[in-house]
Amino acid sequence: MFGRIHASNASRLSAACVVAQNAAEDFEANPQGVQNGAFDVNDADGASFHVSRTVESEATAAGTMYTVHIAVSDDTGEVYSLEAQRYMEGGAR
């Protein structure tokens, strides 16, 4: 039984990582278009996750640094989180 619990936790963590990475790729492709908020998503195996995003921007003389914090949770709580950044030259668009 102990091995099954670890396998289940590893599978849940792996799936949550993929969900977070997909959300980070969306941010990287268009940081100005990503909004603060939350949404639900199912992975390829049907597991349900809740994704929350917090986006910040910091203007500089030459452009804008965008930062997003992504947290992925399920019914047991937060499973995985990450932070990503993207610099865009020329300021906010």
Side-chain angles (χ1 to χ4, degrees), residues 6 12 14 25 29 41 43 50 52 66 68 73 75 86 89:
H6 282 291
R12 184 171 60 100
S14 179
E25 288 174 8
V41 64
D43 74 355
H50 184 75
S52 106
Y66 294 91
V68 65
S73 58
D75 58 351
R86 170 99 191 267
E89 291 183 7

Side-chain angles (χ1 to χ4, degrees), residues 60-84:
T60 66
T64 303
M65 176 64 78
Y66 294 91
T67 304
V68 65
H69 177 78
I70 299 167
V72 179
S73 58
D74 64 9
D75 58 351
T76 66
E78 186 174 299
V79 180
Y80 185 76
S81 67
L82 62 80
E83 189 170 280

Side-chain angles (χ1 to χ4, degrees), residues 21-34 53 66 68 70 84-88 93:
Q21 289 169 350
N22 288 341
E25 288 174 8
D26 289 343
F27 166 79
E28 292 284 331
N30 184 13
Q32 302 98 338
V34 173
R53 287 188 300 223
Y66 294 91
V68 65
I70 299 167
Q85 292 184 312
R86 170 99 191 267
Y87 181 77
M88 301 290 289
R93 298 177 189 182

